[in-house]
Amino acid sequence: MLSRGRTSAAVSITRHFEVFSKVKGGQWYRVVVDLDEVCAGKHTTDDGLVIAPEAEMANLPAWILKTVGKRSLDQGTVVLLLAPDRLTTGFRKPKGFHNSMMEHLGLIYRGMLNRCALFLNEQRVEPVDPLFLDPNARFYDVGNDVSAQGREPLQFAMRNARTGGEGMVRLRFSYMPPEFQRNKDGSENKERLGVMKDNNAYLIVTRAGRQIDLVMRSHYPKDDLNKKNLNIFDRNWAVELDFDPELDEEFGITVNKQQVNPQVEVETPDEIKRRIRAGHLLERDAQLPEASVAKFIKGMEQRRLGPSGWVCVYSLMRDGRELAAKLRTAAKARLDDERGELLRAIISPYLQVVETDAMCPVTGLKLTDIWRYFRHTWVSTYKSLPGRSMMVLVR
């Protein structure tokens, strides 16, 4: 079974990947995932479910065994990414990829590297501490005689309101004096400055030592106290919050373990949902008046001459009153078969995969623009994400 995190990471940078896995004392098995085959419906059942391809017994490619060298692979998993096409700047060339990954892995897994070894191209990954308090971490000392100053850390126990289990919460604080991100000659120290920029947040959140999120917004009761962005001078302090997995629910951790939504007080599940929804709506409504967003929405709603006459994005929306009247009529049908026939005549949805340059045959609008327009109607704020994502329209 493929984990959510592993498949999401692979899909974000390639259309084809293979997963080799082996239990101790067993044989290697391989699963091949091809997005083009998924889009073509090759792995879709008659019920419309997309299922994972069958695993097959297979040996590891010779070049992987050569790369592993003397290290034994009695068990484990190997993910092979073929022809990645979504690598960002700094990861496209071998040398840049190696340097960027060494820093990225050292940052994300910094709290775990003292318990296990992680290697990249035979080189052991060293921790990168965004608070610059770990003397064993990279960039702790860059020769400018300026070091980060730690403040008294905090640690306390916290109870999971649902399970009754208890976990620990740990807080670290760091202050970085003036000239901290400069070399001895006064020039910028790119390594320190880069780490500080990438982790500029109110809270740097880790879970059992693995960094999972950056809390970028404050949530004070008065809106005028909530800054939208941190100022550049705020980068000279940092706070790290680490919690045990037992407290996942209390910190509102997402299914893929990549984001948190800390809870202020114990609430019922319905109260949590309402509060989270209200917070998302506030952020979404604050985004809509932004100049670029407002211009995009206005352009989509402006009438133009399309393939079927004068159209706009409204041409894709059904009259809600007409739909409601037909649904009420169908609900009055006494027989299930009769009701089913009426519903099929009223609603006949189909899925349309959004390709980059594809156009809507009704309006002539780009499918990507249509998807983005309706994405702005969701509860949560629209954000463009790095890497690949599969967009689908239900029409």
Side-chain angles (χ1 to χ4, degrees):
M1 182 175 180
L2 302 182
S3 69
R4 180 184 179 94
R6 185 183 304 150
T7 51
S8 299
V11 166
S12 71
I13 58 177
T14 184
R15 300 183 71 86
H16 182 110
F17 65 94
E18 302 177 4
V19 179
F20 295 82
S21 198
K22 173 185 177 181
V23 297
K24 194 169 186 177
Q27 299 292 322
W28 284 103
Y29 281 84
R30 178 181 71 163
V31 171
V32 178
V33 178
D34 190 310
L35 290 186
D36 294 322
E37 291 182 352
V38 173
C39 292
K42 184 175 180 179
H43 303 291
T44 304
T45 66
D46 294 337
D47 298 325
L49 298 176
V50 178
I51 59 175
E54 290 288 334
E56 58 184 9
M57 193 178 295
N59 294 321
L60 283 177
W63 69 268
I64 292 181
L65 293 173
K66 182 179 179 181
T67 301
V68 172
K70 297 180 180 179
R71 291 197 298 275
S72 174
L73 283 178
D74 295 332
Q75 63 185 40
T77 299
V78 175
V79 181
L80 177 58
L81 308 177
L82 299 176
D85 58 356
R86 286 297 186 275
L87 296 179
T88 56
T89 302
F91 291 87
R92 291 172 182 160
K93 295 182 179 180
K95 184 177 180 181
F97 179 89
H98 177 88
N99 293 336
S100 297
M101 284 301 295
M102 287 291 290
E103 182 174 324
H104 180 73
L105 293 173
L107 174 74
I108 299 301
Y109 298 103
R110 61 181 178 273
M112 306 168 69
L113 293 176
N114 62 340
R115 304 192 299 270
C116 63
L118 186 61
F119 289 86
L120 178 65
N121 294 336
E122 301 296 332
Q123 184 177 351
R124 185 165 183 162
V125 175
E126 297 177 296
V128 176
D129 181 9
L131 277 68
F132 302 95
L133 298 177
D134 182 357
N136 297 313
R138 299 174 66 189
F139 318 131
Y140 173 78
D141 183 357
V142 295
N144 64 352
D145 300 326
V146 183
S147 300
Q149 301 171 9
R151 298 298 189 256
E152 187 68 26
L154 295 177
Q155 179 173 303
F156 57 90
M158 185 174 179
R159 189 174 298 279
N160 185 315
R162 188 182 69 83
T163 67
E166 190 173 86
M168 296 301 297
V169 178
R170 294 162 288 272
L171 286 159
R172 292 195 303 151
F173 307 90
S174 173
Y175 167 68
M176 297 155 232
E179 308 303 315
F180 177 80
Q181 59 267 52
R182 295 192 174 276
N183 295 312
K184 207 164 188 176
D185 62 3
S187 61
E188 284 187 350
N189 182 276
K190 294 182 179 179
E191 289 82 7
R192 275 185 172 177
L193 186 60
V195 174
M196 294 167 71
K197 284 182 177 179
D198 293 341
N199 296 275
N200 182 30
Y202 287 105
L203 277 178
I204 302 170
V205 183
T206 66
R207 174 183 182 267
R210 179 174 72 89
Q211 183 163 316
I212 58 174
D213 202 2
L214 300 172
V215 178
M216 308 296 291
R217 298 284 300 274
S218 58
H219 296 279
Y220 294 110
K222 293 183 178 180
D223 286 338
D224 57 348
L225 297 177
N226 295 303
K227 295 181 182 179
K228 186 173 182 181
N229 296 303
L230 295 177
N231 295 318
I232 189 168
F233 50 78
D234 291 331
R235 295 191 184 122
N236 279 64
W237 58 262
V239 181
E240 177 192 85
L241 183 150
D242 180 63
F243 63 91
D244 291 340
E246 178 60 43
L247 301 174
D248 281 355
E249 293 177 345
E250 297 304 310
F251 284 93
I253 194 166
T254 57
V255 175
N256 62 2
K257 306 293 190 296
Q258 297 297 322
Q259 288 180 308
V260 294
N261 184 36
Q263 308 301 318
V264 176
E265 56 188 14
V266 177
E267 303 165 295
T268 66
D270 287 339
E271 289 172 338
I272 292 173
K273 289 180 181 178
R274 284 194 293 270
R275 181 178 51 74
I276 293 175
R277 184 181 179 87
H280 284 318
L281 283 171
L282 285 173
E283 291 188 356
R284 186 205 66 178
D285 291 345
Q287 183 187 50
L288 294 178
E290 293 179 3
S292 60
V293 177
K295 181 179 179 181
F296 168 77
I297 292 175
K298 183 178 180 181
M300 293 292 289
E301 295 174 349
Q302 186 173 355
R303 295 188 66 194
R304 70 195 73 193
L305 189 60
S308 55
W310 287 96
V311 294
C312 66
V313 73
Y314 291 145
S315 305
L316 302 174
M317 302 180 192
R318 190 164 183 177
D319 187 329
R321 291 168 296 183
E322 175 260 348
L323 175 61
K326 290 188 176 182
L327 289 175
R328 283 192 290 268
T329 301
K332 294 177 182 177
R334 296 182 178 180
L335 300 177
D336 290 342
D337 290 343
E338 180 185 358
R339 188 181 304 111
E341 288 296 325
L342 288 171
L343 289 174
R344 279 190 287 272
I346 298 169
I347 305 172
S348 182
Y350 64 92
L351 293 179
Q352 184 175 31
V353 177
V354 177
E355 298 290 347
T356 303
D357 298 320
M359 310 295 285
C360 171
V362 177
T363 62
L365 297 169
K366 294 180 66 173
L367 293 183
T368 51
D369 287 344
I370 294 174
W371 186 92
R372 179 188 168 190
Y373 179 89
F374 287 103
R375 174 63 180 83
H376 280 297
T377 67
W378 293 11
V379 173
S380 57
T381 307
Y382 169 72
K383 297 178 181 178
S384 58
L385 299 175
R388 184 189 307 284
S389 59
M390 182 178 291
M391 298 180 289
V392 178
L393 291 172
V394 182
R395 303 188 68 166

